[in-house]
Amino acid sequence: MRRAAILMLAAMIAPASADEPPRAPEPSLDSRLRDLESMNRAILERLDRSERERRAADERYRTLEEKYDDLRRRLADGEAEGIPTGPPGEAVDEAPGGFLDMPPLGNEAWHPARDDESGEGGGRNFDARGFFGDEGFGLSTWDDEYQLRFRILDQTDFKVFSPGDQRPASSGLYIPRVRVYFEGRLTRLFDYEVSIQRSVEGVWDLLDGNVDINIDPRFRLRFGRMLVPYSYDWYDHLEQYFITPERSLFPLNFGLSRSAGLLAHGRLFDERLQYAVGGYGGHLAGLADENTTRDAVAYVNFKPFLQTERFPLLRDLNLGVSGYLGAQAIPQHPLPLRTSLQSSENDEAARRATSIFLEFNEDAYLSGPHEAGAAHLAWYVGGMSFEAEWQTSRDRYTRAGIPFRLFSIPVTGSHFTLAYFITGERVRDRSRVDPLRPFDPTRNSWGPGAVELFARFSDLQLGEEVFRAGLADRERWTRGMGMTDVGLNWYLTSYLKIYLDWQRSYYDTPVELDPGRRSGVNDLFWIRGQLYY
């Protein structure tokens, strides 16, 4: 009986066990902890492996970077050929000379040189990089053997003359210079420059066009049309770097124009001595060189303390002389003597843009031998610039009615110029200025820019012979004058500059500023805006 009851109870329980499977036992706390520790170890091992891989990648990158720098140095020194100095399609932070590099142009794989794919042979194709920096915008091969740089100079003047009723001088807006420069190199041996200019006359013409052969820093040769190395005020720094808007009186009126010639130049004695000597066509006015003889021109600038540390304040002291000797073979009518404009023509636009203090008679011509000399001193220290120069020349003139008689006219001039940056910038010469705190709101830069105060006195004296020989009318003009310029330069950025200048002219004898009225003094209030990069 008891056995039957047990069997019946088992039969009742069995179906329920079939419908609901037995539950697994709950894991213990120790088992959970062991699983968690195993998971943590796996995560740590993965992190450690990732860190080792990252360090290995960094080491490979540093090795490649060292090889890249070494290869670039070797290419610059001429130790290797045909090897790229940078990976294609990647920008390099900075190139030699401070240029900001851009990726190479084009989508093809980079190669330093290859045969012309046209199949004609003899040509070479080079991928290029773009850059923008101290030397303008341009293109260059990766080894810098071939370069083409572009620069722009744009100057706009607003002039107010006092008295305001002068004739022909007239207050208003003028464009003294717009220039486009194309510069570069064809291998490291040859530099070239081609530039065109539109001046106040409104005519575009060739400014410079020359090739410089870089034989050695101590001896270089240049041929073509170029700046003539006479007078520190002319040769040392270009118009875009002037302290005052224009040159002083003597070089403004008696400086040699740009001319075609052959020049030997270089730097000696650890760059303390700069020299330039050459032969030139020697024309004095006009765009075309019509002179058939040659002028011999020489220039020397000495920086005696450049390489010494005993006198750091005198490191950028410049002393030098310059001069020329030649002849004007083709008689040429001289330009009027002006106070505030450098011009190679005597058209109406040039006459309106400046006061005139001596105009030669219609029958006066430059002809025969001429010579000139100059001595200069320039000193740059901290934020101060000081420049002084004394100049002299002797030109021969003739008159149409008496063509075989020459009149020798001596001329002397000088200038003293002082400038100082009140915003803290320091200078070592007259070149590009980088404001410590530029004014460029588009880049959230609200600094004052760089502010430079300046003052200059210049004078010019012609010999009494200019009147005694009947070359000019003493009743209308003067043979001597002095001039002061006082103002400031505001450099908003490295590329934008504004001149503010008050110029006063003092005439030894009153001049005819407008028909029927003479004056012994006149003023010019002058604003110039300049873009140069």
Side-chain angles (χ1 to χ4, degrees):
M1 177 69 85
R2 182 179 300 174
R3 186 174 179 179
I6 292 173
L7 290 174
M8 289 180 64
L9 181 61
M12 294 175 62
I13 294 175
S17 298
D19 295 336
E20 184 177 345
R23 295 180 180 178
E26 293 289 334
S28 64
L29 181 60
D30 290 341
S31 177
R32 291 182 180 180
L33 290 175
R34 284 194 296 270
D35 292 341
L36 185 59
E37 288 175 355
S38 177
M39 184 181 300
N40 288 338
R41 280 195 300 271
I43 293 174
L44 290 174
E45 287 175 359
R46 183 176 300 176
L47 289 175
D48 184 67
R49 184 168 58 252
S50 298
E51 179 65 18
R52 289 196 302 271
E53 291 174 353
R54 186 190 67 79
R55 290 178 180 176
D58 287 346
E59 183 63 29
R60 288 195 300 272
Y61 177 81
R62 280 193 295 269
T63 301
L64 289 173
E65 189 174 40
E66 290 172 359
K67 290 181 178 180
Y68 168 77
D69 292 338
D70 179 67
L71 186 57
R72 189 165 191 163
R73 178 191 60 78
R74 289 168 55 199
L75 281 171
D77 294 339
E79 298 177 8
E81 293 182 287
I83 305 174
T85 59
E90 293 187 11
V92 181
D93 290 339
E94 192 166 325
F99 296 146
L100 183 65
D101 286 352
M102 293 164 28
L105 305 179
N107 298 320
E108 299 181 4
W110 187 91
H111 45 78
R114 66 186 178 208
D115 290 335
D116 192 340
E117 293 179 356
S118 65
E120 298 177 1
R124 307 290 281 178
N125 289 337
F126 297 86
D127 282 321
R129 60 182 175 87
F131 57 79
F132 180 81
D134 294 351
E135 298 192 33
F137 172 79
L139 302 172
S140 173
T141 56
W142 277 95
D143 57 6
D144 286 328
E145 283 289 305
Y146 298 88
Q147 287 185 2
L148 172 60
R149 301 189 300 270
F150 309 90
R151 294 173 181 263
I152 297 293
L153 172 66
D154 181 27
Q155 295 178 336
T156 303
D157 287 350
F158 176 60
K159 292 182 172 182
V160 177
F161 293 95
S162 178
D165 56 352
Q166 298 182 37
R167 293 291 182 274
S170 177
S171 301
L173 288 167
Y174 298 93
I175 299 178
R177 297 176 186 89
V178 176
R179 293 178 178 175
V180 181
Y181 299 87
F182 303 92
E183 306 167 330
R185 68 165 46 138
L186 299 172
T187 74
R188 296 180 186 275
L189 183 60
F190 302 103
D191 288 344
Y192 65 87
E193 176 187 1
V194 176
S195 55
I196 57 175
Q197 170 178 275
R198 179 201 184 276
S199 56
V200 70
E201 300 98 339
V203 177
W204 284 94
D205 201 354
L206 178 69
L207 179 70
D208 290 312
N210 57 75
V211 175
D212 208 3
I213 307 174
N214 302 317
I215 300 171
D216 186 275
R218 295 165 295 184
F219 181 77
R220 304 170 67 175
L221 287 175
R222 182 182 301 165
F223 63 88
R225 180 179 168 91
M226 68 191 83
L227 197 65
V228 178
Y230 168 66
S231 172
Y232 185 85
D233 211 0
W234 259 99
Y235 189 63
D236 182 76
H237 39 274
L238 298 176
E239 291 84 351
Q240 49 266 41
Y241 301 127
F242 284 173
I243 295 176
T244 55
E246 290 294 343
R247 295 180 172 94
S248 58
L249 283 168
F250 185 96
L252 191 70
N253 291 286
F254 291 94
L256 292 178
S257 298
R258 281 173 162 84
S259 183
L262 175 65
L263 175 71
H265 64 110
R267 297 178 184 270
L268 305 172
F269 309 118
D270 295 328
E271 299 194 345
R272 289 194 295 267
L273 180 68
Q274 177 189 8
Y275 74 91
V277 57
Y280 295 88
H283 73 289
L284 299 177
L287 298 174
D289 184 359
E290 299 177 350
N291 205 16
T292 58
T293 59
R294 296 292 177 262
D295 284 355
V297 187
Y299 172 93
V300 175
N301 184 58
F302 184 46
K303 302 175 74 172
F305 304 103
L306 179 64
Q307 303 297 342
T308 180
E309 297 186 5
R310 293 184 58 190
F311 307 102
L313 296 180
L314 299 177
R315 180 178 56 178
D316 296 306
L317 176 67
N318 298 258
L319 304 170
V321 295
S322 59
Y324 68 82
L325 181 66
Q328 181 69 32
I330 305 299
Q332 186 177 59
H333 188 67
L335 294 174
L337 303 188
R338 296 158 168 155
T339 61
S340 61
L341 180 71
Q342 175 192 330
S343 175
S344 58
E345 298 291 342
N346 189 27
D347 65 356
E348 189 61 29
R351 296 173 66 85
R352 287 198 303 267
T354 179
S355 297
I356 296 173
F357 62 93
L358 189 146
E359 187 165 11
F360 291 90
N361 292 334
E362 289 295 327
D363 63 349
Y365 290 90
L366 283 161
S367 181
H370 56 216
E371 59 272 350
H376 67 261
L377 181 152
W379 185 26
Y380 309 99
V381 57
M384 184 196 76
S385 299
F386 175 75
E387 298 176 359
E389 189 164 21
W390 173 83
Q391 301 111 340
T392 183
S393 70
R394 184 174 289 271
D395 294 293
R396 276 74 179 180
Y397 295 78
T398 186
R399 295 178 59 187
I402 44 177
F404 299 107
R405 183 178 178 184
L406 297 180
F407 303 97
S408 176
I409 309 298
V411 182
T412 59
S414 64
H415 78 94
F416 303 88
T417 306
L418 180 66
Y420 186 77
F421 280 95
I422 62 174
T423 45
E425 287 73 18
R426 305 173 68 87
V427 295
R428 297 196 59 187
D429 53 23
R430 296 307 301 185
S431 57
R432 168 174 156 165
V433 173
D434 294 314
L436 297 175
R437 292 169 293 168
F439 178 78
D440 191 356
T442 62
R443 305 183 66 177
N444 200 30
S445 179
W446 296 89
V451 178
E452 180 184 34
L453 304 180
F454 67 79
R456 181 184 70 188
F457 173 79
S458 64
D459 73 307
L460 184 68
Q461 296 288 327
L462 284 77
E464 176 67 24
E465 296 86 345
V466 71
F467 292 141
R468 287 205 304 259
L471 301 175
D473 185 356
R474 70 168 69 244
E475 297 300 321
R476 299 179 60 193
W477 311 113
T478 183
R479 65 181 182 89
M481 66 166 295
M483 188 170 70
T484 58
D485 289 84
V486 179
L488 64 86
N489 297 320
W490 182 25
Y491 302 79
L492 288 76
T493 68
S494 301
Y495 313 109
L496 294 171
K497 179 181 180 181
I498 295 176
Y499 297 82
L500 301 175
D501 182 28
W502 168 39
Q503 183 180 96
R504 166 159 282 199
S505 300
Y506 313 87
Y507 306 113
D508 290 358
T509 56
V511 299
E512 188 178 84
L513 296 179
D514 63 276
R517 186 167 66 89
R518 302 174 69 189
S519 175
V521 63
N522 73 286
D523 296 294
L524 169 61
F525 301 94
W526 194 348
I527 301 175
R528 168 173 292 178
Q530 173 178 292
L531 166 69
Y532 177 66
Y533 70 87

